[in-house]
Amino acid sequence: MDITFMVALVIGLALFFDFTNGFHDTANAMATPIATGAIKPKTAVTLAAILNLVGAFLSTEVAKTVSGGIIREGSDGVQITPEIIFAGLMGAILWNMVTWLKGLPSSSSHALFGGLIGAAIAGIGFNSINLEGLLQKVILPAIFAPLIAGIVAYICTRLAYALTSRHDPETGSKLTQKRGGFRTGQIFTSSLVALAHGTNDAQKTMGIITLVLIAAGTQAPGSGPQFWVIAACALAIAIGTYAGGWRIIRTMGAGLTEVKPAQGFAAETSTASAILASSHLGFALSTTQVASGSVIGSGMGRRGTSVRWNMVGKIALGWLFTLPAAGLVGALTALLVKTGVVGVLIAAIAGTAAVLFMFFYSRKSAVGHHNAIEVEEAGQAVRFAKKKAMARARAKAKAHARTSAEANTSAGATTGANTSAAADTRADANTNAEANSDTEAEAVTTKDAQR
């Protein structure tokens, strides 16, 4: 197959993976502010898309990790081909679609790495994998990052509730808590998460495209992504983010724990800090794992709430199978494309058919911005939003009741007056009748006397 066509095919597939990464990871930044009512759903995904676009231009350290830190290339000679990268991308995309369909916030990053590793091992051998780079910049961050983020979110949540707790100074009884300000804070913290996501996840696709350009001999080994690569990847992940992964937003916003504004603020702060630090150090971190760990930690940090551990178990199981599952699909695809042009075409057609099938199957139980998170599950902030309206309604009801009472009193007084007047009229009529009767009697007496 012509190398130019293969490179173009891989670049197109990489950008589609970037698109799936966008809608798969929208929940990382916007699930909690949507759940608490801090931002409207459509506004949230629009904001996340813009900030992902901006964030993609801010750093390329992660892109260098993907292009040179996991797959060997450089002075020893490039050992990976565009066909192998094509196979790895197929594994990543199919796993992304499966977990999206199930509403599981799995790692797009690990799906990508798993697909590439499986394809490289099947197509070239174990010597194509940089095990040291894989351990230092993928495996270890995958283990420690969600734990650290969860611990930080737990501490931040406890501090947020402790510092804003209100009690009566005389009786010591608990007063109505006023934590609505955290909703405003969530707008900024969730925006920071979206920006941080762009600095980390968009870089991975940049690294893949850079890797295929190096493999094709059109770019020097060890060099970073070109500007057009950065711009294309930034646009692809922004469009995907705007599409909104509503199934995963439902899981992150209401499936793990009941999220309230102070919790959401703490979780987003923890997530953004971890992602920005990893982007600076060049760690290809799973932003999904970090965000999930933060939500779980914030749920554990608030008294009176509970973490839905059955859902946590399902998510953890998905994390565990991400690398091997994507690697298996990548390996099988690599074996198929080794057969030549026919194998590449079969793999492309089969992959396209699988993606379309999952998309149309998802329409049977569509999840969108209108039903991603139910109102009764939307947390404390929903009540904040309705507080003034409810107060006005109560005042209006009281005024109506007062008016009705006054009207009834007035009606009662009017009825009493009318009754009294009627009685007086009847009394006067009786008196007149008696007077007439006396007059008649006197007239009869006079007639008798005259006779």
Side-chain angles (χ1 to χ4, degrees):
M1 179 175 288
D2 181 66
I3 186 67
T4 304
F5 175 77
M6 194 64 206
V7 168
L9 181 62
V10 172
I11 290 174
L13 195 62
L15 292 175
F16 181 72
F17 166 78
D18 208 20
F19 172 81
T20 66
N21 191 358
F23 73 72
H24 204 278
D25 289 2
T26 306
N28 296 347
M30 294 301 167
T32 50
I34 290 173
T36 62
I39 312 176
K40 293 180 180 180
K42 292 298 289 182
T43 304
V45 296
T46 302
L47 180 61
I50 294 171
L51 292 171
N52 266 283
L53 179 67
V54 174
F57 288 92
L58 299 182
S59 173
T60 58
E61 292 300 318
V62 175
K64 294 174 183 176
T65 295
V66 175
S67 62
I70 298 174
I71 305 298
R72 295 186 186 278
E73 48 91 8
S75 58
D76 297 333
V78 174
Q79 299 185 31
I80 192 168
T81 63
E83 288 80 6
I84 297 300
I85 299 173
F86 169 84
L89 285 169
M90 289 296 294
I93 289 171
L94 290 178
W95 183 253
N96 262 3
M97 293 299 295
V98 168
T99 51
W100 164 76
L101 186 64
K102 295 295 183 181
L104 294 176
S106 69
S107 171
S108 298
S109 306
H110 289 180
L112 177 61
F113 298 142
L116 284 174
I117 291 168
I121 291 174
I124 301 173
F126 281 97
N127 62 330
S128 62
I129 307 300
N130 184 353
L131 294 178
E132 183 180 356
L134 178 65
L135 178 65
Q136 292 180 353
K137 296 202 171 186
V138 178
I139 302 298
L140 291 179
I143 296 173
F144 290 107
L147 291 176
I148 294 172
I151 293 171
V152 173
Y154 173 85
I155 295 172
C156 289
T157 302
R158 294 304 294 262
L159 284 174
Y161 276 91
L163 293 175
T164 58
S165 180
R166 300 173 70 243
H167 294 82
D168 190 299
E170 296 180 358
T171 64
S173 59
K174 196 172 183 180
L175 299 175
T176 302
Q177 307 301 304
K178 295 183 178 180
R179 299 191 175 100
F182 284 112
R183 291 178 64 227
T184 304
Q186 277 191 277
I187 298 173
F188 297 98
T189 53
S190 61
S191 298
L192 186 60
V193 173
L195 185 69
H197 183 269
T199 67
N200 196 284
D201 275 44
Q203 315 301 315
K204 294 159 190 172
T205 306
M206 297 178 199
I208 292 299
I209 296 177
T210 300
L211 186 61
V212 76
L213 293 174
I214 292 172
T218 60
Q219 186 169 328
S223 58
Q226 302 175 38
F227 178 79
W228 71 265
V229 174
I230 297 173
C233 292
L235 187 61
I237 199 169
I239 295 172
T241 302
Y242 182 75
W246 300 107
R247 293 172 180 272
I248 300 175
I249 288 175
R250 169 183 284 179
T251 300
M252 291 281 285
L256 290 173
T257 185
E258 183 185 9
V259 181
K260 301 203 174 184
Q263 290 172 262
F265 180 85
E268 292 150 18
T269 302
S270 174
T271 300
S273 302
I275 296 173
L276 288 172
S278 68
S279 297
H280 177 71
L281 297 173
F283 292 160
L285 192 69
S286 168
T287 56
T288 301
Q289 291 182 354
V290 172
S292 301
S294 296
V295 172
I296 294 169
S298 69
M300 296 175 65
R302 184 175 74 86
R303 294 178 181 176
T305 191
S306 61
V307 176
R308 299 179 179 94
W309 292 108
N310 58 336
M311 178 58 72
V312 173
K314 292 178 182 179
I315 294 173
L317 197 63
W319 291 354
L320 182 65
F321 281 101
T322 295
L323 276 169
L328 179 62
V329 176
L332 293 175
T333 307
L335 294 175
L336 187 60
V337 299
K338 283 178 71 175
T339 61
V341 177
V342 175
V344 173
L345 292 176
I346 292 174
I349 294 171
T352 302
V355 169
L356 290 175
F357 171 78
M358 284 185 275
F359 173 75
F360 286 114
Y361 183 80
S362 72
R363 307 311 297 170
K364 292 183 178 180
S365 56
V367 179
H369 65 90
H370 59 286
N371 65 346
I373 299 178
E374 300 296 333
V375 174
E376 58 268 22
E377 296 175 343
Q380 184 69 25
V382 171
R383 292 198 287 273
F384 291 161
K386 294 183 178 180
K387 188 173 288 185
K388 291 183 179 180
M390 291 173 65
R392 287 195 298 268
R394 285 195 295 268
K396 186 176 181 180
K398 289 180 179 178
H400 179 71
R402 191 181 304 112
T403 303
S404 298
E406 292 174 354
N408 291 336
T409 303
S410 176
T414 301
T415 302
N418 292 337
T419 303
S420 177
D424 292 342
T425 301
R426 287 195 298 271
D428 292 341
N430 292 335
T431 301
N432 293 334
E434 291 175 357
N436 293 335
S437 178
D438 292 342
T439 302
E440 290 174 357
E442 291 175 356
V444 171
T445 303
T446 301
K447 287 180 180 180
D448 290 340
Q450 289 176 350
R451 288 192 191 104

